[in-house]
Amino acid sequence: MAKKKEKNAVEVNVKELKDAELVVLTLQDDSEEFFEELIERYERKLLRYVMRISYFDFAEAEDILQEVFLKVYHNLNEFDDEFAFSSWIYRITRNFVISQVRKNKSRPNVVRIDDEFAESLIERLPSEIDLPRDFVRKELKERVRSALAKLPEKYREVLVLYYLEEQSYAEISDILKRSVNSVSVQINRAKKKLRGMLT
Amino acid sequence: MSKVSKKVLTKIKKGEVERLPKWRFVAKRIFIWGSLVIAVLMGAFAVSMVLFQLFGVDWDVLGRGPKGTVMDALQVIPYFWMVISALLFVFVYFDFRHTRKGHRYSATAIILSSVVLAAVLGTGIYAASGSRHVDEFLGHYEAYQMMHYDEERMWAAPENGLLGGEIIELDDGEIMLLQDFIEQVWTVDIEEARCGMHCDLEIGEKLKIIGEIIEGGEVSFGFKAEEIRPFRKER
């Protein structure tokens, strides 16, 4: 059931608020209720995202996420509503993950490719990259997983954001701090590279 | 409430993490944009200095200097200001990328826009003689003079028809005494010389003269002037 907050005699249905509105209310209000809603909205998505772009396991990803939300709270005044909140929080998460990976240089950077990632690409990519039709699905999934694991990080990263996190080109541009053209080129190159590995 | 949510909110409630005030972010943006504006203005000044030096070159006599065409041509290129301009454009690019929406623009678009903006402003500064003042000011420093196109050396080739120096005596608009840059005094016949818009000669003025050495005359250092130019062009 949606939480409700009474403020100045106006009932605010927290669940119906947009992310940017929650940020404004968090900044205005002394209670953490609005921020809690933001955490709820992004926790699962970001947990998956952290694990998709790094080698961290579930427990480590949770710790990272905790730090990410604290960072978000710490820098909340920096949020600019001309950008999507999701782009902002994804960017903070990505930067934090990169810094954590750099701190653990000795650890081999083997990214886990989950079933969902491989499945999602198999579902969405055939028309775009002409996947071989003669493979049985299980075999195809294994090949896609193996190809994704070998794909350079910069290409895998854009595929994760576009196909799994379902971010638009403009949002990816804001997350990675690159131009939309550069993002578009990167995605096309990633698909081309993947096609090369699969055929 | 999830585990992550609980931990985060507990830390916030305990005051272990506090929000940075808005003014910190505003100040950061002002700093980025301020440095960007300063860099573009400095770039414009550098461009105006490039224009000043290129337009200050006497291209028609290039190659008649003491060092020959190739060396003269290499000497007149304003490397110093070109390098300064290039460095400022690189700075502008990286600084602009740090603005909130800077990443949305390609490197080509950012650099091209800053070059065009600096070129327009630089042309304005050059047209308003701003670059001449800067050149005069910097001319007091030896390090700057060393990097600068050496106009005096270029016009110290009387055997090639180029004579530069300072008027020390004027006689009826026909003859003048000119001391060149190695303090040799020349008797210059200016009776038939073209002087364009610069005919009001004064003692103490520095000139560039195109002409030829008078051989076998009564004076040992005689020069017949064909054209007289001011030493520094007006801009």
Side-chain angles (χ1 to χ4, degrees), chain A residues 34-64:
Chain A
F34 300 112
F35 193 65
E36 187 187 341
E37 173 62 20
L38 281 172
I39 298 177
E40 253 179 52
R41 285 185 191 181
Y42 284 93
E43 189 181 344
R44 286 188 62 204
K45 284 183 197 173
L46 293 178
L47 202 60
R48 279 197 317 249
Y49 177 60
V50 170
M51 292 172 72
R52 278 168 181 157
I53 61 166
S54 67
Y55 48 67
F56 296 116
D57 62 25
F58 186 80
E60 289 170 317
E62 269 192 338
D63 290 344
I64 283 176

Side-chain angles (χ1 to χ4, degrees), chain A residues 3 9 12 24 39 44 52-53 61 75 86 92 115 118 128 132 144 147-148 153 166 181 187:
Chain A
K3 288 179 210 164
V12 180
V24 173
I39 298 177
R44 286 188 62 204
R52 278 168 181 157
I53 61 166
N75 293 296
S86 70
I92 291 176
D115 275 359
E128 295 178 61
V144 169
L148 282 171
E153 202 178 311
E166 297 183 332
N181 276 349
I187 290 176

Side-chain angles (χ1 to χ4, degrees), chain B residues 69-83:
Chain B
T69 312
V70 176
M71 289 307 287
D72 280 355
L74 286 174
Q75 204 197 1
V76 298
I77 298 169
Y79 302 105
F80 174 72
W81 292 112
M82 288 166 91
V83 168

Side-chain angles (χ1 to χ4, degrees), chain B residues 30-55:
Chain B
I30 290 172
F31 177 76
I32 290 173
W33 278 101
S35 54
L36 197 64
V37 169
I38 290 168
V40 169
L41 288 177
M42 284 170 69
F45 251 105
V47 169
S48 81
M49 294 307 292
V50 170
L51 295 176
F52 175 74
Q53 293 207 355
L54 290 179
F55 283 114

Side-chain angles (χ1 to χ4, degrees), chain A residues 72-89:
Chain A
V72 168
Y73 185 80
H74 185 59
N75 293 296
L76 208 55
N77 272 312
E78 190 191 24
F79 171 66
D80 180 347
D81 59 9
E82 284 185 49
F83 296 87
F85 179 79
S86 70
S87 305
W88 188 63
I89 200 168

Side-chain angles (χ1 to χ4, degrees), chain A residues 95-134:
Chain A
N95 291 347
F96 191 70
V97 168
I98 290 171
S99 72
Q100 292 307 108
V101 168
R102 279 184 189 151
K103 273 186 191 168
N104 295 287
K105 269 183 185 168
S106 54
R107 206 166 147 178
N109 191 7
V110 184
V111 178
R112 226 171 285 102
I113 308 294
D114 57 29
D115 275 359
E116 195 188 345
F117 193 2
E119 288 279 1
S120 165
L121 284 175
I122 293 169
E123 289 299 324
R124 301 184 59 183
L125 279 175
S127 56
E128 295 178 61
I129 68 165
D130 197 21
L131 289 172
R133 288 169 191 178
D134 49 341

